[in-house]
Every structure is written in C-alpha cells, then in structure tokens.
Amino acid sequence: MSTVSVLRSRSVTAMLGGLALLVSSASVATDISVALGHSADSTMTYRVGLQFPWQQSWFDSDIGRLSGYWTLGYTYWESDNTVNTHSLSASPVLTYEFGSANAVVQPFVEAGIGLAAFSRNKLEDRDLGSSVNFEDRFGVGIRFYQRHTIGIQALHYSNAGISSNNAGIESYNAYYRFNF
C-alpha cells in the first residue's frame, strides 16, 4: 500500500470518526442545523451542524444584545468533475440579536472564525494548499419563538497564506436551525 493510500485511508477514517462524534454529541446539543448551498464554482454543499449557545450576553439594551455560540459542522462538497470532498469544522460565532430577548421574531447578524479539516486539499480546480483551513463566516437570519431559525451565510475557507497554494473557496448557503 502506498504512502498516499495510507494517508487517504487515515483521513477518511478520521472524517468518519469525527462524524460519529458529531452525531453522538446530538443528545447534548442545544441546536441542530441543516443547510443547502453552493460554492463560487457551483459545487453543491450539504451541511449539518450542532450549535451550543453561550449562556452569556453582553451590551443588553432595548436595541439588542451581543451573544454567541459554538458550532461543529460537517459539510459534503458534491463535485461535478472531481472527487467529492468532506469537511469538519469548529468555530465560535458572535451573534448580535436585535430586539428584546423574549421577542417572538428576532433578527440577527453573526460572524465567526474557526478551523476546518478537509478530506483533501483540492476542490474542483482549486488547490487549497492544505487540508486544514480557516473558516470565516458572515450571516443574517431571523429566529422565531426562540426555537426556529432561518438564515443565510457566506463561509470562506482558506489557509491564510500558511501554504504556498491558497486558492480558498466560498460556500453560500441557506439554513434552518432548531432549538431543543
């Protein structure tokens, strides 16, 4: 077995182990999300995630408050021309929620920077330069009845110039999140 085959086998095993951990954590997760999107190269993305809201908020006022959550995500990158790719990510996300804390409808904006591990360092024609990349996100959404959330996000993945190749890739998605 070649070194490349062993490394691929280990990365697939690590991805499957991470997915198993992600799924097994669902019993203690506060929120679960599903998202459908596409990249700038029109690669379809399918994402599932777990969110763990922080119990702290700052700058509470009649206008809103700053809060956040931790998120763990699995993304399947469906490629038309090359091998499909998988990624696992973890990130803290800051959220500014508008309106009172108990409002029936609550709009928000969010942003975060985390890490993502890809099953391979190439997506379509892009050489990410590394299987480990940063995940930057910006999103807007609306929360209903403190349990249902719909939103849109832009996620950017790149290695921030750590590797000589750094094509980066974006995923734009719409998501639904449910609070248990």
Side-chain angles (χ1 to χ4, degrees):
M1 194 179 240
S2 72
T3 304
V4 173
S5 295
V6 170
L7 290 176
R8 282 189 181 146
S9 175
R10 286 182 182 169
S11 68
V12 169
T13 302
M15 286 294 234
L16 291 174
L19 181 59
L21 180 62
L22 184 68
V23 170
S24 69
S25 298
S27 63
V28 297
T30 303
D31 295 1
I32 189 165
S33 63
V34 293
L36 176 65
H38 68 88
S39 73
D41 296 332
S42 296
T43 298
M44 289 299 298
T45 60
Y46 306 91
R47 183 178 176 94
V48 294
L50 299 174
Q51 291 76 36
F52 304 91
W54 301 341
Q55 301 303 312
Q56 180 75 34
S57 63
W58 302 273
F59 310 112
D60 289 333
S61 71
D62 293 337
I63 297 172
R65 82 213 49 70
L66 180 66
S67 188
Y69 60 91
W70 289 98
T71 185
L72 299 173
Y74 164 77
T75 305
Y76 176 74
W77 301 74
E78 185 178 67
S79 176
D80 290 334
N81 304 321
T82 60
V83 176
N84 298 327
T85 303
H86 309 268
S87 64
L88 291 174
S89 59
S91 176
V93 179
L94 288 173
T95 303
Y96 191 84
E97 302 168 333
F98 298 94
S100 71
N102 297 320
V104 172
V105 176
Q106 202 166 37
F108 64 89
V109 296
E110 63 183 12
I113 299 175
L115 291 174
F118 285 78
S119 60
R120 50 196 311 264
N121 62 356
K122 292 190 191 276
L123 261 145
E124 295 291 341
D125 297 334
R126 296 174 185 253
D127 185 353
L128 300 177
S130 172
S131 293
V132 177
N133 288 275
F134 292 98
E135 176 190 77
D136 306 326
R137 74 174 58 218
F138 178 77
V140 296
I142 299 173
R143 183 170 296 113
F144 300 94
Y145 301 105
Q146 298 298 314
R147 293 189 65 107
H148 305 277
T149 303
I150 57 172
I152 56 174
Q153 293 176 328
L155 298 123
H156 171 75
Y157 299 90
S158 76
N159 63 43
I162 294 171
S163 175
S164 59
N165 293 322
N166 186 25
I169 193 162
E170 290 77 32
S171 174
Y172 307 99
N173 63 55
Y175 69 91
Y176 169 77
R177 186 165 70 216
F178 180 77
N179 176 277
F180 287 99

